[in-house]
Amino acid sequence: MSFAAAMLSLPRPLLVTCVYLLLLPGCQGRILGYTNGFHYQDISNGNGHGEIYFNGIRLHVESPQSSVSATRGSTVTLPCHYHYEPELTIPRKTRVKWSWLPANTMTPQVSADAFFKETEVMVAMGSRHRSYGSFRGRVRLRRSAPGDMSLVINELQVNDTGRYRCEVIDGLEDDSVTVDLELRGVVFPYYSQKGRYHYNFFRAQKECQDQDATLATFEQLFTAWEEGLDWCNAGWLADGTVQYPITIPRDGCGGKNLAPGLRSYGQRDRVLHRYDAFCFAASVKGTVYFLENTTKLNFTEAIQACSSDGSQIAKVGQLYAAWKLMGLDHCDAGWLADGSVRYPITKARANCGPSQPGVRSFGFPPQYLKFGVYCYRSMLCFNAGQIKPY
């Protein structure tokens, strides 16, 4: 009687037990062609008979950095290296998979189940590779030395932030490491001309986008709080929660008895509930400057003045990014594209507002009043062959 016939003649409970035992590690039975999407049978590193020699050898995947920060539009490298213990003299076939957990899903509640929410960025084996989604054509492996599987991302986008996993697979062995990618920038509160608490979640998203920014993530707001951001009005974040940062506890802002920190309303209805927004502005690919003019301007005149100078009136996110990342410091109040009037101060001094650095705001004054204006010129825009300096 053949082995297969003998197996089939067994009672069903015993048959299930035998099959289970054959699948256990170390059993004599092997299931050829095993795959879970990575085509492990192609990289079994065995003898051609389904036997994988990996006894006494350990695969290690490591990164010298747990987090990396960069600016929008730049090229960033997420380090990942693998090696064996003990070292091997004969190269082995490996497959690497980079996956990504977006920052807007990385809340304090996301922990053990985070892996299952990751999406693929890139898969590579030897000279073959494939990238996915918004990363297609923007990512590659560095491969600067044996075992280097570092991911290089070109033209970094605001939405690229989050947790990246580098997984290396050798036969049935695999190991992985994670690297957090953060975007250098600045968080600022944003509210309607009508006053506070007029935005549902989707309107808050649009308002931030209109100011060359995005809704801030929890991590970005937390970092801003650590750097001293104190704001008593609640605002939407990218994960759909509503929170606000308090450095000096006080009545009306959670109470004097609560410790400093982020006050949270938790998840709110994204359509029905109304709050302000916390926006995040990254680097500006251009120049923000105060337009020197002998006379003050109303809002309509301010727009025209920037246009005549070969520029556009600056957006709020552009002004904040220029202040935070490029050190823009000017004590004159000026119009911005949303109809607000503000000015940036990096070195606090007399007659320039409070004693701390920041972007001072006059709110949304009547548009017939006269102020200066802040203009923005893209690096691609030229005026008589020159880009206007700060």
Side-chain angles (χ1 to χ4, degrees):
M1 181 182 293
S2 69
F3 175 78
M7 289 290 289
L8 291 175
S9 68
L10 292 173
R12 182 176 178 81
L14 184 57
L15 174 60
V16 172
T17 302
C18 290
V19 172
Y20 173 74
L21 290 174
L22 285 170
L23 293 174
L24 289 176
C27 294
Q28 294 300 313
R30 298 286 179 178
I31 305 299
L32 298 180
Y34 168 80
T35 176
N36 70 348
F38 293 109
H39 304 288
Y40 285 140
Q41 69 273 22
D42 292 338
I43 53 173
S44 61
N45 290 305
N47 62 0
H49 300 289
E51 297 176 350
I52 302 173
Y53 299 111
F54 219 92
N55 292 335
I57 301 174
R58 179 81 183 271
L59 171 66
H60 292 274
V61 178
E62 301 168 336
S63 176
Q65 296 173 258
S66 60
S67 65
V68 173
S69 62
T71 56
R72 184 177 64 179
S74 65
T75 297
V76 63
T77 300
L78 307 183
C80 175
H81 303 83
Y82 77 92
H83 67 278
Y84 296 95
E85 289 183 359
E87 293 184 5
L88 302 177
T89 56
I90 301 176
R92 298 173 65 88
K93 296 178 183 178
T94 57
R95 178 183 293 268
V96 62
K97 173 188 175 184
W98 276 95
S99 55
W100 168 59
L101 179 67
N104 60 11
T105 64
M106 292 171 55
T107 67
Q109 291 75 32
V110 176
S111 54
D113 63 337
F115 175 81
F116 299 101
K117 298 179 182 178
E118 294 176 346
T119 58
E120 289 186 344
V121 173
M122 182 180 190
V123 176
M125 177 180 169
S127 61
R128 295 180 296 164
H129 60 85
R130 183 176 181 181
S131 53
Y132 301 90
S134 63
F135 295 97
R136 187 169 297 165
R138 292 196 298 125
V139 293
R140 61 180 175 85
L141 296 181
R142 184 171 60 182
R143 298 185 186 273
S144 62
D148 182 12
M149 294 296 178
S150 302
L151 183 70
V152 180
I153 307 176
N154 296 317
E155 287 295 319
L156 188 63
Q157 301 174 4
V158 172
N159 293 327
D160 289 343
T161 56
R163 179 161 297 160
Y164 289 76
R165 181 182 300 275
C166 174
E167 182 179 16
V168 178
I169 304 104
D170 182 338
L172 297 179
E173 293 288 324
D174 71 276
D175 194 19
S176 67
V177 68
T178 61
V179 182
D180 290 344
L181 175 58
E182 303 169 350
L183 205 62
R184 288 197 293 270
V186 57
V187 172
F188 60 94
Y190 195 77
Y191 56 91
S192 169
Q193 295 187 28
K194 300 177 182 178
R196 73 172 193 164
Y197 297 176
H198 281 272
Y199 301 145
N200 67 17
F201 174 80
F202 303 102
R203 180 64 184 272
Q205 277 187 321
K206 184 179 185 304
E207 291 294 331
C208 289
Q209 291 169 359
D210 288 347
Q211 298 310 314
D212 199 26
T214 60
L215 274 179
T217 65
F218 172 85
E219 289 75 14
Q220 290 164 348
L221 184 63
F222 185 83
T223 298
W225 169 76
E226 289 182 314
E227 295 175 350
L229 180 60
D230 185 287
W231 193 258
C232 197
N233 291 345
W236 290 102
L237 296 182
D239 61 0
T241 62
V242 174
Q243 310 197 35
Y244 62 98
I246 295 297
T247 59
I248 304 175
R250 53 197 183 274
D251 290 335
C253 301
K256 293 180 179 180
N257 296 327
L258 284 180
L262 298 187
R263 313 287 195 239
S264 178
Y265 290 7
Q267 292 282 341
R268 311 301 286 174
D269 189 291
R270 299 189 180 198
V271 176
L272 298 179
H273 290 145
R274 300 288 193 274
Y275 297 96
D276 294 340
F278 285 102
C279 303
F280 177 80
S283 61
V284 179
K285 285 188 173 181
T287 302
V288 177
Y289 61 96
F290 182 80
L291 182 61
E292 300 293 345
N293 202 303
T294 55
T295 61
K296 301 295 184 182
L297 309 165
N298 63 34
F299 181 62
T300 302
E301 293 169 339
I303 295 174
Q304 182 58 48
C306 286
S307 178
S308 298
D309 201 50
S311 304
Q312 298 175 331
I313 188 169
K315 299 179 178 181
V316 176
Q318 293 167 347
L319 183 70
Y320 267 94
W323 163 73
K324 180 72 173 182
L325 301 174
M326 301 179 182
L328 181 60
D329 183 290
H330 203 91
C331 199
D332 291 306
W335 289 106
L336 295 176
D338 66 339
S340 65
V341 173
R342 309 173 194 244
Y343 64 99
I345 296 296
T346 57
K347 298 178 181 178
R349 51 198 183 274
N351 302 320
C352 293
S355 58
Q356 297 83 23
V359 174
R360 322 297 194 208
S361 176
F362 283 61
F364 298 90
Q367 296 187 355
Y368 61 80
L369 295 182
K370 298 198 173 187
F371 298 93
V373 61
Y374 287 91
C375 302
Y376 168 76
R377 179 178 288 126
S378 166
M379 293 300 293
L380 299 178
C381 295
F382 294 85
N383 184 19
Q386 293 182 343
I387 297 178
K388 191 175 184 69
Y390 281 83

